[in-house]
Amino acid sequence: MGDGSAIGDGSAFEELVARAVACGDPEHPVWEDVARTLGWRSEDDETWIAAVALRSHPDPVHRLLAFDVLFWHTTTRYVPEDGSWVPSPYEQRAYEVFAEWAGTETHPRVLPKVLIGLTQYSEPANEAVGLRFARHPDPEVRGVVPGLLDRWEPFSPAAREALCALSRDPSVEVRRSAVVTVAEHPDPHPDLAAALVERFGDEDESVRVMAVFGLAERDDPRCVAGRERMAPIADRERYGYGVLDAADRYEARRDGRGDGWRWRRA
């Protein structure tokens, strides 16, 4: 939680912002305390307006702080009292800010953060944003795109094409992001399965693992060949429960044995 220098001390908005900007590091405890404090306070319209205004500040450090404040605003303010899971008004108004901000932000440190903010919401409008940035020159930006394209329904043709392209990206981080999104999604389209097969020889172990996993969850028999090509996994704890044995479970389902449970929804 940090050293408590900002929490609950009643300091003015401008003073707290100055404290965070002075340290200049989003990982610093003072920065985190300021962002959390202002995020909580932003239920108040005056603080909210001031926080939103920071996104237009010429200094990108101020804009990074604006993101963190708005992010805390959404995560700390949703406390339903009636047991419902209807999105809170605090979440919705922060989404609207992120969506507008994504259309104007260009700084390489700030833009990926803003896009990450959008991925916290299952909004149909995210797809258009993701497609807009799918060929962005910055790999950190491209790496967020699969999260923007993710959805409960099958992917649209444009999103599917973008995900397949991102799974072949020169950046391993981008490929990993795309393959994880495809692997964990139930969309059975053959182009997505083919994109996973292409990654059997990827230089990155986690990409190879998730490609096999995604095919196994689709009951695609090619997952067995992918598993057989896999070198021994040294750090098995790196992967979540049910990932590394996905091809084994596929074989159990195929052979009618009773231990072939699925990791995800059908």
Side-chain angles (χ1 to χ4, degrees):
M1 183 174 178
D3 62 6
S5 60
I7 296 296
D9 68 1
S11 299
F13 181 91
E14 294 78 7
E15 181 181 345
L16 292 177
V17 169
R19 290 187 200 177
V21 171
C23 72
D25 179 6
E27 303 299 323
H28 193 284
V30 170
W31 180 293
E32 293 176 354
D33 284 344
V34 167
R36 184 182 296 108
T37 297
L38 294 179
W40 273 100
R41 288 188 192 174
S42 57
E43 180 181 0
D44 171 74
D45 285 342
E46 183 178 354
T47 302
W48 168 257
I49 292 169
V52 171
L54 282 179
R55 67 180 177 157
S56 301
H57 198 284
D59 176 18
V61 175
H62 283 77
R63 302 203 299 278
L64 281 173
L65 180 61
F67 168 79
D68 282 344
V69 170
L70 297 175
F71 194 81
W72 273 108
H73 173 77
T74 66
T75 58
T76 60
R77 278 298 161 192
Y78 183 30
V79 185
E81 297 179 355
D82 59 0
S84 70
W85 288 98
V86 176
S88 82
Y90 303 109
E91 289 181 301
Q92 187 58 40
R93 70 177 183 177
Y95 175 81
E96 292 167 358
V97 170
F98 290 144
E100 182 180 347
W101 193 356
T104 59
E105 184 59 63
T106 59
H107 194 276
R109 289 184 66 193
V110 184
L111 178 56
K113 292 282 193 180
V114 176
L115 298 180
I116 288 171
L118 289 176
T119 66
Q120 309 306 305
Y121 304 83
S122 297
E123 292 286 345
N126 280 355
E127 180 179 304
V129 179
L131 293 174
R132 188 193 323 156
F133 289 104
R135 297 184 179 181
H136 194 277
D138 186 346
E140 189 172 358
V141 171
R142 297 197 305 277
V144 185
V145 168
L148 291 166
L149 300 178
D150 201 2
R151 52 191 292 175
W152 287 104
E153 301 82 8
F155 297 111
S156 72
R160 188 167 59 241
E161 180 180 357
L163 285 166
C164 289
L166 291 167
S167 74
R168 308 180 189 103
D169 196 272
S171 165
V172 64
E173 289 79 11
V174 176
R175 295 198 306 277
R176 186 183 302 123
S177 177
V179 168
V180 167
T181 297
V182 172
E184 294 183 348
H185 198 284
D187 190 327
H189 197 281
D191 287 354
L192 298 174
L196 294 176
V197 171
E198 288 181 17
R199 303 274 51 89
F200 283 173
D202 199 277
E203 65 182 87
D204 183 75
E205 178 189 84
S206 64
V207 171
R208 300 193 301 270
V209 165
M210 291 306 297
V212 171
F213 169 79
L215 289 165
E217 289 295 301
R218 287 168 166 78
D219 282 338
D220 190 310
R222 291 172 290 184
C223 69
V224 177
R227 180 193 62 193
E228 297 305 315
R229 289 183 58 178
M230 194 81 64
I233 307 296
D235 182 11
R236 298 183 67 86
E237 294 183 0
R238 173 184 181 186
Y239 301 100
Y241 177 69
V243 171
L244 291 178
D245 62 347
D248 299 335
R249 297 198 311 277
Y250 156 73
E251 289 182 307
R253 292 192 299 273
R254 181 195 63 189
D255 299 340
R257 291 183 272 121
D259 55 352
W261 58 273
R262 291 184 184 277
W263 176 86
R264 57 168 174 75
R265 61 187 174 92

